[in-house]
Amino acid sequence: MNELSDVIYEALGGYIDDLSNSVYLGTARGKGTMYLDGEYPLTPQDGVLPFLNVFYVEGGLEVVGLWGREKREALLLRMKPDNISVDMSGREIEITFLHPVGALVVVVLYGNEGLARTLEGAVEACKKGGNVEGRLVSSRVSR
C-alpha cells in the first residue's frame, strides 16, 4: 500500500476503535452550524437534510454524518454539550456546544419524542461526566 492508504486506514481504524467505546443514541435528519465571527454551515441547511448519527462517548456527544452523491461531504463533531432544547410541536431538537476556540456549534435534529428524551438524558449525563476531547471536522467549512 502507499502512504496515503496507510493514513486513511489508520484514521479509519482509530474511528472504529472510538465507536466501540461509545453508545449509539439515535439517527435523525438534521443540520449543523458553527457561529464564530459569522455563520458557517457544517451541513446542508435546507432541502433534504442528511442523516446525523448521535453517540454518547467519554462524557460527551459525537455527531457523525456523511452525505452527497457527486460531491461527498462529512461532519464529525465530538464535544461536551452545553444545552439542549426540545420543541416537540415541530419535532425539533436543538443541541448547543461551546467549542474551546469560542465558537458556538448548534446541531438541530428533526426526530421524535423518544429520541428527544434519550438526548435530554444524555446531555444531563454529559454535564455530570468528565471532559471529552473536543473535535470538529467538517468537509464544508475551511478557515
Side-chain angles (χ1 to χ4, degrees), residues 65-85:
L66 301 169
W67 61 91
R69 291 193 184 270
E70 287 97 45
K71 182 180 177 189
R72 299 261 181 209
E73 295 180 304
L75 169 68
L76 170 62
L77 166 69
R78 179 185 285 179
M79 284 188 229
K80 190 169 190 165
D82 181 57
N83 197 13
I84 184 169
S85 63

Side-chain angles (χ1 to χ4, degrees), residues 10 17 27 30 32-33 35 40 61 63 75 78 80 110 118:
E10 184 177 326
D17 286 345
T27 299
T33 307
Y35 298 93
Y40 300 93
L61 293 184
V63 180
L75 169 68
R78 179 185 285 179
K80 190 169 190 165
Y110 299 93
T118 297

Side-chain angles (χ1 to χ4, degrees), residues 1-14:
M1 282 195 245
N2 64 34
E3 192 173 315
L4 179 58
S5 296
D6 292 343
V7 170
I8 291 170
Y9 282 114
E10 184 177 326
L12 184 59

Side-chain angles (χ1 to χ4, degrees), residues 9-120:
Y9 282 114
E10 184 177 326
L12 184 59
Y15 177 70
I16 290 170
D17 286 345
D18 286 348
L19 278 180
S20 66
N21 295 320
S22 65
V23 177
Y24 171 74
L25 299 176
T27 299
R29 290 206 182 265
K31 59 186 176 180
T33 307
M34 179 176 70
Y35 298 93
L36 176 66
D37 299 327
E39 184 177 320
Y40 300 93
L42 302 172
T43 65
Q45 301 292 297
D46 51 24
V48 178
L49 298 174
F51 284 107
L52 300 178
N53 303 290
V54 184
F55 300 88
Y56 175 85
V57 60
E58 299 174 5
L61 293 184
E62 183 172 84
V63 180
V64 180
L66 301 169
W67 61 91
R69 291 193 184 270
E70 287 97 45
K71 182 180 177 189
R72 299 261 181 209
E73 295 180 304
L75 169 68
L76 170 62
L77 166 69
R78 179 185 285 179
M79 284 188 229
K80 190 169 190 165
D82 181 57
N83 197 13
I84 184 169
S85 63
V86 178
D87 170 20
M88 286 317 299
S89 63
R91 299 202 176 279
E92 193 170 289
I93 305 163
E94 183 177 283
I95 308 170
T96 57
F97 302 86
L98 296 177
H99 193 280
V101 300
L104 177 68
V105 178
V106 178
V107 174
V108 177
L109 301 171
Y110 299 93
N112 61 31
E113 187 176 334
L115 177 60
R117 280 196 310 266
T118 297
L119 293 177
E120 285 175 323

